[in-house]
């Protein structure tokens, strides 16, 4: 099944580095000039990697289709202010804001000041666990710090 999903990417438009940088900037809600091209992979899932100029955010974009594969912000969390449930609500809102509809929280945990939640696609009441999306929320600020 996974190989089939990967092959779908190859039927998508091939993005240039600049188009991928633009897609990343839209997802991260930042100026595209803030992202510097780092490298690319040519594996089964070819990716472009970018890093923010301040060095705190990494993002990878699929070469075919221009999808965000993951992003991660490096931070040193302060004292937690959000509960597990409050952090989950932030993650759920983030997914809706990014147009990931019909996602159901599956499980989560808090570690080192980041609450990480796994969401699975929900199709007519059936949870599709092979379609997991992870969202990380800083428990001190409520900021989204990771997505994959």
């Amino acid at each position: 099944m996974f190989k089939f999903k990967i092959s779908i990417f190859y039927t998508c438009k091939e993005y240039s580095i600049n188009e991928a940088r633009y897609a990343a900037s839209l997802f991260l809600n930042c100026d595209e000039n803030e992202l510097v091209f780092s490298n690319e992979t040519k594996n089964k899932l070819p990716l472009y990697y970018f890093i923010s100029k301040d060095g705190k955010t990494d993002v990878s974009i699929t070469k075919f289709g221009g999808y965000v594969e993951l992003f991660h912000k490096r931070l040193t969390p302060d004292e937690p202010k959000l509960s597990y449930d409050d952090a989950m609500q932030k993650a759920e809102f983030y997914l809706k804001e990014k147009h990931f509809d019909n996602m159901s929280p599956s499980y989560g945990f808090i570690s080192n000041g980041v609450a990480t939640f796994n969401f699975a696609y929900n199709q007519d009441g059936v949870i599709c666990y092979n379609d997991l999306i992870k969202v990380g929320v800083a428990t001190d600020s409520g900021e989204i710090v990771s997505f994959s």
Side-chain angles (χ1 to χ4, degrees):
M1 176 107 175
F2 186 67
K3 288 183 180 181
F4 172 73
K5 285 186 154 197
I6 296 298
S7 68
I8 291 172
F9 283 111
Y10 289 100
T11 64
C12 296
K13 173 189 181 304
E14 183 173 346
Y15 274 52
S16 68
I17 291 171
N18 288 333
E19 289 171 319
R21 182 189 341 265
Y22 180 70
S25 72
L26 289 177
F27 192 85
L28 296 174
N29 197 27
C30 70
D31 187 287
E32 63 186 292
N33 294 321
E34 290 299 313
L35 299 173
V36 177
F37 175 72
S38 174
N39 66 341
E40 69 181 279
T41 62
K42 297 180 182 179
N43 300 331
K44 289 183 179 182
L45 182 61
L47 300 168
Y48 293 120
Y49 291 92
F50 300 93
I51 188 165
S52 61
K53 285 186 176 179
D54 66 6
K56 294 183 179 179
T57 305
D58 299 310
V59 61
S60 60
I61 303 292
T62 61
K63 189 172 183 176
F64 296 93
Y67 300 105
V68 175
E69 192 257 343
L70 70 84
F71 91 84
H72 179 261
K73 291 183 182 180
R74 286 182 271 308
L75 57 86
T76 305
D78 291 329
E79 203 58 36
K81 295 177 183 148
L82 293 178
S83 69
Y84 180 90
D85 290 336
D86 290 340
M88 184 185 298
Q89 286 180 350
K90 295 250 183 210
E92 287 176 317
F93 179 78
Y94 180 78
L95 287 177
K96 288 178 184 170
E97 182 180 68
K98 296 296 182 186
H99 305 289
F100 288 93
D101 299 317
N102 301 320
M103 301 302 291
S104 297
S106 175
Y107 58 95
F109 60 92
I110 297 176
S111 178
N112 298 323
V114 175
T116 302
F117 301 100
N118 292 275
F119 292 86
Y121 182 69
N122 185 332
Q123 183 176 11
D124 301 321
V126 176
I127 304 296
C128 305
Y129 282 103
N130 60 336
D131 290 335
L132 285 178
I133 294 177
K134 290 183 184 182
V135 178
V137 180
T139 57
D140 59 349
S141 66
E143 180 181 7
I144 303 300
V145 295
S146 63
F147 171 90
S148 62

